[in-house]
Amino acid sequence: MFDAGAMRYIVLQLISEKPRHGYEIIKELEQRSGGGYTPSPGAIYPLLSMLLDMGHVSASADGNKKLHTITAEGEAFLAENRQFVDAIVARMSDPAESRDDLRTIMHELKHAVIAQGQENHPSAAKLEHIRAILRRTTAEILALE
């Protein structure tokens, strides 16, 4: 869904809309991408720490969570990069692009394989059938010119 470094801009944009916890950011990104992209906590929390270190956000205790709020420096950074941020937001909200994105389709495949491979203790035959489909698909993709 995001090019290298683009996540920083979109997370900062979300925080500029309203103060947020890390989990809220994950869920908002999932919702805005139509379910086509869900960042991992391992991607979001270090990014929030980086934004804090850069002075783009501040964090305050909110129970056992941190509530992140954009700073004046963060607002200025977003303003300087408004065109880029708007392009990312537009790409995220385009359901056709999200639906056809290769990463989205790969995640859908991964979830289907996991679901079928763990559902009701699948038989050895079912697992082998899944493996055969994956091998065949891999070979077809590699054979593309």
Side-chain angles (χ1 to χ4, degrees):
M1 170 71 54
F2 298 105
D3 301 325
M7 179 76 81
R8 166 174 57 151
Y9 297 92
I10 197 67
V11 167
L12 196 55
Q13 174 62 37
L14 292 177
I15 295 170
S16 78
E17 294 169 6
K18 74 174 195 171
R20 298 180 191 263
H21 301 103
Y23 181 75
E24 289 177 293
I25 292 168
I26 292 168
K27 288 304 182 189
E28 186 67 19
L29 286 168
E30 179 180 34
Q31 188 270 329
R32 289 191 186 197
S33 68
Y37 176 71
T38 305
S40 71
I44 294 300
Y45 290 104
L47 177 59
L48 288 170
S49 292
M50 182 186 82
L51 291 171
L52 191 61
D53 291 345
M54 295 171 72
H56 290 172
V57 299
S58 62
S60 58
D62 187 24
N64 60 354
K65 302 176 189 175
K66 288 182 183 177
L67 185 63
H68 298 85
T69 306
I70 194 160
T71 63
E73 292 85 358
E75 290 282 2
F77 179 78
L78 276 180
E80 291 168 13
N81 294 284
R82 178 53 46 206
Q83 206 170 15
F84 182 64
V85 173
D86 290 347
I88 297 168
V89 170
R91 192 174 88 200
M92 255 183 72
S93 61
D94 180 1
E97 182 169 329
S98 176
R99 191 174 50 251
D100 292 335
D101 179 67
L102 287 178
R103 289 180 64 121
T104 300
I105 296 167
M106 287 189 310
H107 284 291
E108 290 170 357
L109 175 61
K110 177 182 87 171
H111 291 296
V113 169
I114 290 169
Q116 289 296 314
Q118 295 176 344
E119 185 178 287
N120 298 325
H121 306 289
S123 67
K126 182 175 184 177
L127 292 173
E128 187 50 43
H129 190 184
I130 292 169
R131 287 184 196 102
I133 291 168
L134 292 173
R135 287 184 189 111
R136 202 169 45 248
T137 303
T138 301
E140 286 182 35
I141 290 170
L142 291 173
L144 294 172
E145 291 184 20

